[in-house]
Amino acid sequence: MQPMTTTIGKIQLKDKVFRPYLSEEIIFSAVAEMAEKMNNELRDKNPLFIVVLNGSFMFASDLFKQINLEAEISFIKIASYQGMRSTGQVVTSIGMEQDLHGRDLIIVEDIVDTGLTLHWLKSNLESRGAKSVEILTMLRKPEAAKVEVDVKYVGFDIPTDFVIGYGLDFDEKYRNLDFIGVLAKHVYA
């Protein structure tokens, strides 16, 4: 991996320049707020959190530490991205073998943009007999939506710009950043 170089206000990753967008403190505050809301709303349920890998792993870890419910967590790996663009095709790499009949499910996603992946996933889980399927995401790009997906818990609505960090990648790299950076449209030396 090429090293990340920084100067005030910008981050150089490969041939792209990113600028800080959401700090670690702002992210943690949003995660705590979402966890508190779910702890109240789901208090009488035994939800199964289904984490969409790879991008959601940091978010899910921070969130699940703050969930004070009798809850379970499982993981699924699906993708519709290649590089910086959505392919529009959902590919399942690792599926779920659990019995979902009668379960309250919470899909944990890092980012919702076109909605195609979540639309497919939610339909798939509902067809397996889930009692309910709700969606939780750290980031949502409302302007990028191609299909309507009801997202119950949203950390931040953001523009359609490409973002990295806090689990989000650029060619499978830079997921380990503790903040979220946005692709800079104009960078001046």
Side-chain angles (χ1 to χ4, degrees):
M1 176 162 67
Q2 293 180 344
M4 173 180 71
T5 58
T6 62
T7 58
I8 296 175
K10 67 180 182 176
I11 305 149
Q12 182 79 39
L13 302 173
K14 292 187 175 185
D15 64 338
K16 306 285 185 229
V17 176
F18 293 82
R19 64 178 172 77
Y21 187 64
L22 296 171
S23 70
E24 181 179 25
E25 295 78 20
I26 291 171
I27 292 168
F28 285 164
S29 176
V31 171
E33 189 175 307
M34 286 187 280
E36 182 179 348
K37 185 174 181 181
M38 285 187 285
N39 285 332
N40 291 326
E41 292 180 0
L42 303 172
R43 138 176 11 118
D44 298 326
K45 299 182 179 184
N46 175 22
L48 171 61
F49 287 79
I50 299 174
V51 181
V52 180
L53 296 174
N54 287 340
S56 301
F57 76 100
M58 289 177 79
F59 172 41
S61 174
D62 290 339
L63 177 80
F64 209 65
K65 290 176 209 172
Q66 297 184 52
I67 296 296
N68 300 320
L69 304 167
E70 187 174 311
E72 298 172 44
I73 191 167
S74 190
F75 301 87
I76 187 168
K77 187 168 184 177
I78 56 177
S80 66
Y81 258 78
Q82 189 170 41
M84 293 174 60
R85 302 220 184 276
S86 175
T87 64
Q89 301 293 318
V90 176
V91 177
T92 305
S93 299
I94 300 171
M96 292 191 50
E97 290 77 34
Q98 292 172 268
D99 179 13
L100 304 178
H101 188 77
R103 297 294 311 265
D104 293 301
L105 309 178
I106 307 290
I107 300 171
V108 181
E109 184 64 284
D110 55 351
I111 189 166
V112 177
D113 46 25
T114 66
L116 294 170
T117 302
L118 280 176
H119 179 72
W120 176 87
L121 180 57
K122 184 174 182 184
S123 296
N124 179 283
L125 297 173
E126 288 171 339
S127 74
R128 294 175 60 186
K131 180 178 176 184
S132 67
V133 180
E134 300 293 352
I135 299 170
L136 159 75
T137 188
M138 174 53 69
L139 304 172
R140 178 175 60 183
K141 295 180 179 179
E143 296 171 19
K146 293 189 181 200
V147 296
E148 185 156 338
V149 178
D150 182 31
V151 182
K152 185 166 186 175
Y153 306 100
V154 179
F156 302 95
D157 280 327
I158 64 171
T160 59
D161 301 319
F162 188 77
V163 289
I164 58 160
Y166 195 63
L168 299 155
D169 72 294
F170 174 43
D171 285 338
E172 295 300 324
K173 297 175 181 71
Y174 311 111
R175 293 183 191 276
N176 58 324
L177 301 175
D178 60 2
F179 62 91
I180 295 174
V182 63
L183 184 63
K185 292 181 181 176
H186 304 288
V187 179
Y188 303 99

